[in-house]
């Protein structure tokens, strides 16, 4: 395995922010990204999510975007990745992609071992299985690892009785690509966050009928909460991960602010909330008490979980189900830092965490050098 000082896993907002600050401290991190191009999760968003609908895309540290063009109708799935690509070029970051990290485990001495599958067979010594799939298995031994893998690859599908028998279509928000394919259909949208509001806003006047279903009554704020309110929400999420509990989403703490998609959905009359149904039938959904509504499609806008399976060899999970962190440092493995996890899952939290990570890693590497 190649020996390096720092590996950053993931090249989204959190990973790029961490890499920037590490460079400021004099370190040259190796960045591994599973996608085949820049942009992180943004490159996979629906083409109908345009910049005038996007809420809370913060500048990456050191290189500003053009804020005058945020309100146009270009897809965020092309605008934000282009910004990230220019950022990587301007900083001269060493980003290897596609490089899917499959394991991080304890190594000899002060090292953590990182194993990844590379998308193209360009090196020698590959095993038979890799040569059949066109992949290369590569590895690095690092003194510090910054994990910034986010949540987009782990969509959460809750279980409800009868889901397997539903004759219509079920999809998670991760697969939503716009309203056109739902024209004339009866659509149930499950979830209380901005993803659900985005779908409902676009289906208004296109779908035959929509039903917005949430487990709890939504907390619709009358304002687009400012930076101070966001910081307070991040602090509440941080308290959970410090206790070793699975992180909650920031919106579960803040409620639904008056973001562009929420305002659009309200103006279209699409935010008429129904309580959670009890079960799913082949043709629709049933509520407690027996009320039944036919449905052609169920859209699960039910959020995501942290993509951390590759960290399983480190045995970081606490009895409460989460990973206990002190700031960004994993308590059970001090050579590992988590960004884009819990409080740093928001864009403002990711930038703040990147600076914190760089300071901590610099202290670690300075001690190692001494």
């Amino acid at each position: 395995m190649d020996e390096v000082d720092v590996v950053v896993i993931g090249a989204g907002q959190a990973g790029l922010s961490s890499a920037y600050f590490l460079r400021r401290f004099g370190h040259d991190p190796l960045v591994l990204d599973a996608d085949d191009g820049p942009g992180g999760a943004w490159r996979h968003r629906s083409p109908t999510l345009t910049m005038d609908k996007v809420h809370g895309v913060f500048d990456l540290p050191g290189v500003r975007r053009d804020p005058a063009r945020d309100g146009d109708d270009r897809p965020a799935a092309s605008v934000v990745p282009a910004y990230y690509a220019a950022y990587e070029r301007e900083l001269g970051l060493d980003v290897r992609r596609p490089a899917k990290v499959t394991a991080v485990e304890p190594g000899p001495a002060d090292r953590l071992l990182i194993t990844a599958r590379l998308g193209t067979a360009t090196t020698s010594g590959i095993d038979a299985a890799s040569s059949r799939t066109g992949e290369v298995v590569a590895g690095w031994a690092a003194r510090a690892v910054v994990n910034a893998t986010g949540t987009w690859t782990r969509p959460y599908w809750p279980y409800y009785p009868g889901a397997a028998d539903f004759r219509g279509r079920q999809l998670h928000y991760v697969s939503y690509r716009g309203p056109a394919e739902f024209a004339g259909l009866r659509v149930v949208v499950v979830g209380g966050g901005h993803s659900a509001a985005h779908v409902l806003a676009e289906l208004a006047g296109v779908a035959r009928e929509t039903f917005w279903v949430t487990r709890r009554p939504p907390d619709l704020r009358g304002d687009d909460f400012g930076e101070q309110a966001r910081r307070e929400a991040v602090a509440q999420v941080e308290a959970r991960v410090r206790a070793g509990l699975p992180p909650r989403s920031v919106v579960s703490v803040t409620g639904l602010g008056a973001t562009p998609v929420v305002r659009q959905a309200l103006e279209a009359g699409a935010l008429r909330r129904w309580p959670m149904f009890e079960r799913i039938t082949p043709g629709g959904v049933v509520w407690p008490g027996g009320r039944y509504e036919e449905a052609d499609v169920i859209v699960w806008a039910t959020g995501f979980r942290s993509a951390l399976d590759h960290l399983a060899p480190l045995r970081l999970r606490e009895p409460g189900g989460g990973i206990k962190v002190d700031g960004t440092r994993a308590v059970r493995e001090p050579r590992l830092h988590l960004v884009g996890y819990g409080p740093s899952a928001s864009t403002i939290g990711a930038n703040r965490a990147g600076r914190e990570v760089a300071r901590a890693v610099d202290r670690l590497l300075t001690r190692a050098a001494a």
Side-chain angles (χ1 to χ4, degrees):
M1 287 191 171
D2 292 337
E3 291 191 353
V4 295
D5 280 339
V6 192
V7 169
V8 176
I9 306 173
Q13 174 110 14
L16 293 179
S17 176
S18 299
Y20 170 85
F21 286 111
L22 285 165
R23 292 283 292 273
R24 292 290 297 270
F25 276 89
H27 306 293
D28 191 16
L30 169 65
V31 183
L32 304 176
D33 189 52
D35 272 312
D36 58 3
W42 287 102
R43 64 187 286 110
H44 304 292
R45 302 298 290 269
S46 167
T48 61
L49 183 66
T50 50
M51 293 302 293
D52 55 352
K53 298 177 184 178
V54 166
H55 172 255
V57 179
F58 282 76
D59 287 344
L60 290 164
V63 180
R64 291 182 58 81
R65 293 174 299 123
D66 179 5
R69 302 194 66 187
D70 279 358
D72 63 25
D73 60 356
R74 294 173 302 156
S78 59
V79 175
V80 180
Y83 168 52
Y84 284 14
Y87 188 84
E88 292 177 12
R89 289 194 301 271
E90 184 160 340
L91 265 63
L93 293 176
D94 182 10
V95 182
R96 310 282 179 89
R97 58 168 58 96
K100 170 66 175 175
V101 173
T102 56
V104 179
E105 53 196 319
D110 61 345
R111 301 280 178 169
L112 291 172
L113 304 183
I114 302 98
T115 304
R117 294 197 308 267
L118 307 184
T120 305
T122 57
T123 63
S124 60
I126 60 177
D127 59 32
S130 296
S131 61
R132 284 197 300 268
T133 61
E135 291 180 335
V136 178
V137 177
W140 297 266
R143 288 194 171 94
V145 173
V146 179
N147 190 82
T149 46
T151 63
W152 186 260
T153 59
R154 287 288 308 278
Y156 173 61
W157 294 68
Y159 169 77
Y160 277 88
D165 299 322
F166 184 61
R167 291 194 298 261
R169 180 186 176 195
Q170 296 185 68
L171 69 152
H172 192 276
Y173 177 73
V174 73
S175 300
Y176 175 75
R177 290 296 176 269
E181 58 189 309
F182 305 102
L185 302 180
R186 294 167 64 89
V187 183
V188 175
V189 180
V190 184
H194 289 93
S195 298
H198 174 214
V199 175
L200 289 161
E202 295 190 344
L203 293 189
V206 177
R208 177 182 171 188
E209 194 169 5
T210 59
F211 303 91
W212 182 32
V213 178
T214 70
R215 289 192 298 116
R216 294 182 297 271
D219 179 13
L220 290 169
R221 299 173 57 104
D223 63 333
D224 182 5
F225 48 89
E227 183 171 317
Q228 182 58 36
R230 292 191 187 97
R231 291 187 185 278
E232 292 172 358
V234 166
Q236 293 185 51
V237 177
E238 187 172 15
R240 283 184 61 86
V241 297
R242 280 186 177 274
L245 298 172
R248 292 173 61 188
S249 66
V250 173
V251 74
S252 69
V253 178
T254 62
L256 279 174
T259 62
V261 294
V262 170
R263 290 196 298 269
Q264 182 182 348
L266 283 169
E267 291 167 3
L271 294 187
R272 298 185 300 272
R273 180 255 179 184
W274 293 52
M276 196 63 210
F277 49 75
E278 182 179 62
R279 57 191 171 89
I280 302 172
T281 71
V285 293
V286 179
W287 279 265
R291 175 160 186 163
Y292 169 77
E293 290 289 346
E294 293 182 357
D296 302 298
V297 182
I298 301 174
V299 179
W300 297 94
T302 44
F304 301 81
R305 298 293 183 263
S306 298
L308 302 175
D309 291 353
H310 55 289
L311 302 181
L314 298 177
R315 301 182 181 276
L316 303 173
R317 294 287 182 184
E318 299 291 333
I323 297 175
K324 186 180 291 187
V325 297
D326 180 9
T328 60
R329 179 179 59 84
V331 171
R332 290 179 180 262
E333 176 46 78
R335 295 167 293 184
L336 173 71
H337 288 261
L338 300 175
V339 290
Y341 176 77
S344 59
S346 66
T347 51
I348 186 173
N351 280 358
R352 185 182 68 174
R355 187 182 298 108
E356 184 178 344
V357 162
R359 289 196 187 102
V361 170
D362 181 65
R363 289 193 296 267
L364 175 70
L365 296 180
T366 300
R367 286 196 301 268

